[in-house]
Amino acid sequence: MRDSDLLPRYFISTALQAMEQAHAQNHDIRVASHISRAIAALHDLMHQASAPRGTNNAPYDPHEMDEFNSAV
């Protein structure tokens, strides 16, 4: 993995930790749902950052059909 691949994961991880700490210290129910949505989005982003990429360095899309799939 290149250093340029590690930098986004570092920032996502840092943001995720901060949001989880904010969620743990939150005492306002109106804010809790927003923090939970942000945490879920960061988890999705972290998953996408660690997913394998295609041969053309395009972001991995789990719903994209492989052009070499015989069923297509």
Side-chain angles (χ1 to χ4, degrees), residues 12-25 35 39 42:
I12 294 169
S13 176
T14 301
L16 185 57
Q17 289 175 2
M19 292 304 296
E20 287 173 343
Q21 289 173 353
H23 190 267
Q25 296 176 7
I35 294 174
I39 289 172
L42 287 169

Side-chain angles (χ1 to χ4, degrees), residues 40-70:
L42 287 169
H43 275 290
D44 289 344
L45 194 56
M46 182 68 87
H47 176 71
Q48 289 177 6
S50 65
R53 296 179 182 265
T55 56
N56 60 357
N57 289 336
Y60 175 72
D61 182 1
H63 303 290
E64 183 177 351
M65 296 295 288
D66 184 359
E67 65 188 46
F68 300 107
N69 186 343
S70 61

